[in-house]
Amino acid sequence: MPAANGRLIGLAPLSLLSVAPPNLVLHAAEAGFDFVGVRVRPVTAAEKPYDLQPGSRLLAETLARMAETGVGVKDIEFLLLDGTDQRDAWLRMFEAGQALGAESLTVACGDPDLSRARDTLAQMAEDGRAFGISPALEPISYQTVASIPLADEFAVHAGCDILVDTLHVGRFGGTAEELSAAASRAPLVQLCDAPAERPADREGLVEESRSARLVPGEGGLELAGVLAALESGLAQTPRAGTQLPVSLEVPNDAAVARLGAQGWADHLKSAALVLLGERAMR
């Protein structure tokens, strides 16, 4: 059931990356989340791959847990555009996403040739329409598309979405004006916190992003400001009056080891309700 003034609240796969999708759904349901994101393609060689292609046992088990709990899948991930031919990979991802009922597929851009990357994203968006799934380009502080305006320019060119992540907005210095202008193309916002001070180098940014984020309200990022800017932008669109879904993307290896998977999911949901509840009362 949607909480915090009807807003859908989800659990991103990176928050519990070692948990298989069927169990992620169960943990999310127990904590009271409305939806999950699912990683259908590993990002690093260290990750365990999950076969969620149509006909797979794991897909069937995931769909069964979704039916039992009512927890849906809004987004799948993750593809880094790197300048190579990745069309076979994204078509397989679209197939898995369609089977799960996903609406968006998260991508980022590491291709130094921005003209080529724009065209690649446009081809991906065209392919995704047959599956009912839109690419959502996430500007990431240590990749080649590392700002809201550039990501939004790509999204307009390709006819796709933009994914806003509060960590990266804080690290590359996104402004309220930029967020408001891009809000109509945001299917959801990924929520986490972090220390106010930016890591000193790319290695630090990568490590923080993948395994050392903080729970909303436990760091120094301006989370309420990001949400307010996005909602201000939405108010000027046909989506006015709707609540932008939030997904808790808070990987923190030490905290998961200490609290366990369910304890971490519970803690994230509680923190999200506090943050969103505080905003609702203002």
Side-chain angles (χ1 to χ4, degrees), residues 108 138-147 165 167-173 198-199 201-202 204-206 208-209 213:
E138 179 180 2
I140 290 180
S141 55
Y142 49 84
Q143 299 294 357
T144 55
V145 173
S147 74
D165 182 310
L167 175 68
H168 296 298
V169 169
R171 293 311 182 224
F172 56 60
R198 187 180 191 270
D201 53 24
R202 186 180 192 277
L205 288 168
V206 172
E208 175 185 61
S209 176
R213 302 191 191 201

Side-chain angles (χ1 to χ4, degrees), residues 10-17 24 35-38 75 77 190 247-250:
L11 181 64
L14 197 58
S15 295
L16 289 173
L17 193 55
L24 181 68
F35 67 91
V36 295
V38 174
D75 56 303
E77 56 180 53
Q190 289 183 326
S247 179
L248 276 288
E249 185 174 76
V250 194

Side-chain angles (χ1 to χ4, degrees), residues 167-220:
L167 175 68
H168 296 298
V169 169
R171 293 311 182 224
F172 56 60
T175 68
E177 292 75 16
E178 292 167 354
L179 290 162
S180 181
S184 65
R185 284 172 284 282
L188 55 85
V189 56
Q190 289 183 326
L191 194 64
C192 74
D193 216 330
E197 185 176 352
R198 187 180 191 270
D201 53 24
R202 186 180 192 277
E203 183 178 79
L205 288 168
V206 172
E207 166 147 10
E208 175 185 61
S209 176
R210 293 181 178 173
S211 62
R213 302 191 191 201
L214 299 179
V215 173
E218 296 182 5

Side-chain angles (χ1 to χ4, degrees), residues 19-99:
V19 174
N23 292 330
L24 181 68
V25 171
L26 292 177
H27 288 310
E30 179 66 24
F33 285 99
D34 304 297
F35 67 91
V36 295
V38 174
R39 184 160 286 195
V40 300
R41 183 175 185 269
V43 175
T44 70
E47 289 179 36
K48 181 178 179 180
Y50 297 117
D51 179 7
L52 290 159
Q53 294 306 121
S56 69
R57 178 199 59 79
L58 196 62
L59 174 63
E61 188 178 346
T62 303
L63 292 173
R65 301 295 87 77
M66 291 166 61
E68 291 168 7
T69 63
V71 170
V73 171
K74 285 191 71 68
D75 56 303
I76 56 170
E77 56 180 53
F78 179 87
L79 187 68
L80 178 66
L81 303 181
D82 60 8
T84 65
D85 183 358
Q86 297 171 291
R87 189 165 186 242
D88 286 347
W90 76 55
L91 287 173
R92 285 179 59 80
M93 295 177 76
F94 283 140
E95 289 173 353
Q98 184 181 52

